[in-house]
Each structure stands twice: as structure tokens, then as C-alpha cells.
């Protein structure tokens, strides 16, 4: 396609809408992170943020929020990379999703002058729409597939968070309790991650280490005494 006379591949109205969309993303990411770690109660009517005491660890994440966050990040990375390659720019900003959105906003003219940018508004808007649907979702069940479980295993949570995740996983992990986590630590099956942590913060563990230790370490059974 031939380049427009004003050297922009997006018209002014589309460009303004794109800027507005990019400027919404940092706040969207913050809300998505809250949903990801279940620090908010969400529903079709909206959401609110719950204030936590320092010692409270976020409960396990919502896998839908994880997928939405990954997709939004990947979309922005792809467009930043294209702009840098075509316009001879170097990206030195924050690698976070919010950082990518801010960079595209600041370099919006270079963005608009990049060949192939016609698909960017719809591409970014679709990713943000998916994220908003996760933040304010309909009442649908959460499905934990193999990929989600694999990502959960790499997360770092305290004992209470891991126990809550174990209940979501169900099956052989359902019997994992906070006391069981302490038992695994006392037995040398697991070890907390090194800090530094504030004194009032609970210790954190790699989720996969705790799940594996739970399955590998034998459980003590109660003996029943029968009087003869």
C-alpha cells in the first residue's frame, strides 16, 4: 500500500482513539493484577479493591487474568518491536506492559508512520477488551488446564496461598493444609525462599516444591486403640 501524503498510516480520529486506549492500559494493568492475585472481588457489576494487611499474602491467581495479561503484553511487545525495527528506534524503557503502552504513547507519531500499523488499534483493543472482561466477568467456572497448572507451580506464595491453590487443583492436593506445609518444612522436604522480607511478612515458597513435597512425604496415620 502506498504511504499517505502526511506520512501517517492512521487517520487523525483513529490516532486520537489509539492514544486514549494506550493511556488506559496502565490502570487496566493495575486492575488486572489485582484480579490476577484475587485481591478484589469481581462480578458483572464492577469491582473494588480490598486493602490488605502487610502479613496477608494474595490468594492464588485467576488463570483467566493470567492469560489476559500475557496476551495484552504480547500484543504490545509485537507493535513496539515493529516500530523499533522500521523507525530505527531503540527500546530502553520498562519491559512491563504499562511501560510498553507509555512508550507507544510517547512515540505515537513514529507508531503511526510504521507500515502495517492499520491493524494495531483493533489488535490492542481486542486484548484490552478481553482483560476488562476478566476484571468484570460473567459468572463462569475457572478451568485449570495443564498449562495453567504448570505456570502455577512456578509462582511464589506463602503457606495460606498455596493451600488455597491446592483446593482449586483438587484431587490429591486437596488435603494440603497450612499445618502440612509446616510439617514438610520441618521434615526438610521444602525450604522457604530467601528474603529479605519484612518481619511481619510470612515466608514464601515455590508452589511446585510444596506440591511435590506433599505427594512425596508420607502422611502420618492415626492409630486406633482397641481395649481388650
Amino acid at each position: 500500500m502506498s504511504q499517505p501524503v502526511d506520512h501517517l498510516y492512521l487517520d487523525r480520529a483513529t490516532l486520537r482513539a489509539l492514544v486514549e486506549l494506550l493511556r488506559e492500559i496502565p490502570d487496566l494493568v493495575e486492575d488486572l493484577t489485582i484480579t490476577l492475585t484475587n485481591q478484589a472481588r469481581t462480578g458483572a457489576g464492577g469491582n473494588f479493591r480490598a486493602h490488605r494487611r502487610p502479613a496477608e499474602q494474595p490468594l492464588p491467581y485467576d488463570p483467566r487474568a493470567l492469560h489476559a495479561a500475557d496476551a495484552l503484553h504480547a500484543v504490545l511487545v509485537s507493535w513496539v518491536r515493529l516500530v523499533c525495527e522500521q523507525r530505527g528506534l531503540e527500546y530502553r524503557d520498562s519491559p512491563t506492559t504499562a511501560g510498553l503502552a507509555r512508550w507507544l504513547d510517547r512515540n505515537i507519531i513514529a507508531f503511526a508512520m510504521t507500515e502495517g500499523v492499520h491493524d494495531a488499534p483493533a489488535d490492542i483493543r481486542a486484548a484490552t477488551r478481553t482483560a476488562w472482561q476478566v476484571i468484570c466477568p460473567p459468572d463462569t467456572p475457572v478451568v485449570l488446564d495443564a498449562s495453567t497448572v504448570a505456570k502455577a507451580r512456578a509462582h511464589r506464595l506463602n503457606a495460606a496461598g498455596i493451600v488455597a491453590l491446592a483446593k482449586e487443583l483438587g484431587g490429591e492436593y486437596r488435603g494440603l493444609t497450612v499445618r502440612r506445609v509446616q510439617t514438610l518444612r520441618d521434615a526438610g522436604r521444602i525450604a522457604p525462599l530467601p528474603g529479605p522480607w519484612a518481619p511481619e511478612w510470612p515466608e514464601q515458597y515455590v508452589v511446585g516444591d510444596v506440591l511435590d513435597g506433599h505427594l512425596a512425604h508420607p502422611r502420618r496415620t492415626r492409630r486406633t486403640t482397641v481395649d481388650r
Side-chain angles (χ1 to χ4, degrees):
M1 177 178 179
S2 61
Q3 196 173 24
V5 176
D6 61 0
H7 304 293
L8 299 180
Y9 288 96
L10 297 175
D11 61 53
R12 299 293 178 176
T14 301
L15 199 56
R16 284 194 297 270
L18 180 57
V19 168
E20 292 178 2
L21 181 60
L22 290 170
R23 291 177 181 177
E24 292 175 0
I25 289 178
D27 288 339
L28 169 61
V29 170
E30 183 178 349
D31 288 340
L32 190 60
T33 300
I34 291 172
T35 303
L36 176 64
T37 54
N38 288 340
Q39 296 174 42
R41 299 293 182 267
T42 57
N47 72 85
F48 67 88
R49 301 175 185 177
H51 296 286
R52 297 182 294 110
R53 295 188 300 273
E56 291 180 338
Q57 172 74 14
L59 293 179
Y61 59 82
D62 182 339
R64 294 166 297 187
L66 179 64
H67 293 322
D70 287 347
L72 178 58
H73 185 80
V75 165
L76 295 182
V77 166
S78 66
W79 288 112
V80 167
R81 181 179 293 117
L82 184 64
V83 174
C84 288
E85 290 175 352
Q86 286 200 26
R87 309 307 304 175
L89 302 177
E90 184 175 355
Y91 188 86
R92 295 182 178 180
D93 287 30
S94 168
T96 64
T97 304
L100 293 164
R102 292 189 181 103
W103 187 90
L104 288 172
D105 181 18
R106 289 196 308 272
N107 294 275
I108 193 64
I109 298 302
F111 192 10
M113 294 174 67
T114 300
E115 187 174 1
V117 76
H118 305 91
D119 296 329
D123 201 16
I124 296 173
R125 191 171 299 281
T128 57
R129 184 182 299 114
T130 298
W132 281 120
Q133 288 173 346
V134 170
I135 293 169
C136 300
D139 294 329
T140 54
V142 176
V143 179
L144 295 170
D145 57 20
S147 174
T148 300
V149 172
K151 291 182 179 180
R153 289 177 57 85
H155 266 60
R156 302 178 177 193
L157 296 172
N158 72 359
I162 294 173
V163 168
L165 175 58
K167 290 180 180 179
E168 292 185 19
L169 295 176
E172 54 193 351
Y173 301 119
R174 191 174 295 278
L176 185 59
T177 63
V178 172
R179 184 173 181 179
R180 173 70 171 164
V181 173
Q182 184 61 47
T183 298
L184 295 175
R185 181 182 178 181
D186 293 343
R189 292 284 185 174
I190 60 174
L193 293 164
W197 311 112
E200 68 272 17
W201 277 72
E203 295 174 327
Q204 293 188 343
Y205 302 85
V206 175
V207 172
D209 292 347
V210 177
L211 297 180
D212 292 343
H214 173 62
L215 298 182
H217 189 62
R219 309 178 90 182
R220 185 172 57 187
T221 57
R222 295 180 180 179
R223 294 183 179 180
T224 302
T225 302
V226 178
D227 294 329
R228 295 181 182 273

